[in-house]
Amino acid sequence: MNELDVVGVRVEMPSNQPIVLLREVGGDRYLPIWIGPGEATAIAFAQQGMTPARPLTHDLFKDVLEAVGQTLTEVRITDLREGVFYAELVFASGVEVSARPSDAIALALRTGTPIYGSDGVLDDAGIAIPDEQEDEVEKFREFLDQISPEDFGTSSQ
């Protein structure tokens, strides 16, 4: 397993499909995962430290975990089958729960939980970006600084 950081979310054109971009910590691979607009908003809110007037599903799940005394210790992106990514939520009690990566990432950002990607997933879907192409990634980061959750066309109710 390789630790991943969330670079951010953006809308892929011309399909208007949101993606979340993860970066391998200590490596040069990036992992793009296509996600839904609701999850894109949830991830963007968490990254920007925004708290909606009403809790989103991921905020509710975080609150429930706290209320029942459970700690999320890690999120693992475990598999890629037929174009579909799979993830697991790993709890301190040892319990593992299957999840969509977008939901797992949104929850991880809210709880400060590390995210990991399996070697197989990174080998199959990771994109190596050498240092000389880092300026393109920096442009992407600048784009992310300019975008807001409202740009994804969903409401936060």
Side-chain angles (χ1 to χ4, degrees):
M1 288 283 172
N2 301 286
E3 188 170 1
L4 303 170
D5 281 334
V6 179
V7 175
V9 292
R10 70 171 284 195
V11 176
E12 184 67 27
M13 297 308 245
S15 67
N16 262 357
Q17 180 70 37
I19 63 168
V20 60
L21 184 64
L22 303 156
R23 179 184 58 83
E24 182 180 27
V25 173
D28 66 351
R29 292 182 290 186
Y30 288 77
L31 182 65
I33 300 176
W34 278 258
I35 60 177
E39 292 77 17
T41 299
I43 291 169
F45 270 22
Q47 278 201 300
Q48 294 176 8
M50 295 177 66
T51 304
R54 307 248 338 181
L56 298 174
T57 304
H58 306 95
D59 300 305
L60 175 63
F61 190 23
K62 174 187 170 269
D63 292 345
V64 168
L65 289 175
E66 289 172 359
V68 298
Q70 288 294 316
T71 302
L72 181 63
T73 57
E74 62 185 59
V75 163
R76 298 178 185 156
I77 300 172
T78 57
D79 204 2
L80 173 61
R81 294 188 305 259
E82 298 179 20
V84 177
F85 288 91
Y86 294 83
E88 293 175 348
L89 303 175
V90 181
F91 296 93
S93 64
V95 172
E96 297 179 8
V97 177
S98 179
R100 297 184 309 177
S102 56
D103 290 326
I105 291 166
L107 186 58
L109 289 172
R110 283 165 172 74
T111 58
T113 302
I115 302 167
Y116 298 94
S118 74
D119 291 329
V121 168
L122 285 166
D123 289 345
D124 291 345
I127 300 167
I129 300 180
D131 288 339
E132 61 269 11
Q133 293 180 2
E134 259 319 293
D135 61 330
E136 290 299 317
V137 174
E138 189 56 39
K139 288 179 188 173
F140 179 67
R141 286 188 182 118
E142 289 172 15
F143 167 81
L144 292 173
D145 290 339
Q146 303 302 317
I147 198 164
S148 71
E150 291 80 19
D151 293 328
F152 296 107
T154 61
S155 72
S156 59
Q157 297 180 21

